Amino acid sequence: MIDFENGSVFKLKQSDDPGFRDEVQPLLVDGEEVVLTYEGVRDFIVFTNKRVIAVNVQGITGRKKDYASLPFNRIQAFSIETDGLADNDGELDLWFSGLGKVRFEFKENVDLPAIAKHIAASFL
């Protein structure tokens, strides 16, 4: 399982790379669609209309990947911290029953309120 305690695992920026959509396509259930994608150096996360899929790319070749499925219906609470003048990074914290807190850190210019709205609309 991905170590979500280590915030440096996911330092993300928005991505339009269709390869990320293709990568998670075999994991999607009927009626599930990719909505947003964010990438780090090698890792990425995908927001669908039902969950967050976090992908941790491992090894020298990058062939080995760890996929974590974080369903919206298991979120108990969430918070966002937008970037500021001196701090250009934003954060998304999600609290899951049975798992605890999951944190994603985003580089500047990521629309965290839009992500929060997407999550809220998915389970409210």
Side-chain angles (χ1 to χ4, degrees):
M1 176 106 182
I2 296 171
D3 179 13
F4 290 107
E5 297 290 322
N6 180 3
S8 64
V9 171
F10 293 97
K11 269 286 208 209
L12 305 159
K13 64 180 180 181
Q14 192 156 6
S15 174
D16 295 323
D17 185 343
F20 299 139
R21 293 173 185 267
D22 295 342
E23 180 76 30
V24 299
Q25 189 64 40
L27 303 173
L28 303 182
V29 298
D30 290 341
E32 187 174 18
E33 299 174 1
V34 173
V35 178
L36 303 165
T37 58
Y38 297 89
E39 66 179 309
V41 174
R42 292 173 36 152
D43 306 325
F44 62 95
I45 63 171
V46 179
F47 287 86
T48 74
N49 56 326
K50 299 180 182 289
R51 59 184 162 160
V52 180
I53 301 172
V55 182
N56 178 256
V57 180
Q58 302 174 355
I60 295 171
T61 64
R63 288 185 56 200
K64 183 175 180 179
K65 296 177 179 78
D66 184 359
Y67 297 87
S69 175
L70 306 165
F72 291 143
N73 66 359
R74 301 295 290 177
I75 294 174
Q76 294 177 315
F78 68 92
S79 71
I80 59 170
E81 181 180 300
T82 58
D83 57 348
L85 186 58
D87 181 9
N88 290 334
D89 296 338
E91 297 165 356
L92 169 66
D93 290 330
L94 305 166
W95 284 269
F96 290 89
S97 60
L99 179 62
K101 182 171 81 169
V102 171
R103 171 172 280 179
F104 296 110
E105 294 183 11
F106 295 87
K107 295 180 181 179
E108 59 188 88
N109 299 325
V110 170
D111 189 357
L112 284 169
I115 294 172
K117 186 176 181 179
H118 172 70
I119 293 168
S122 299
F123 69 88
L124 291 180

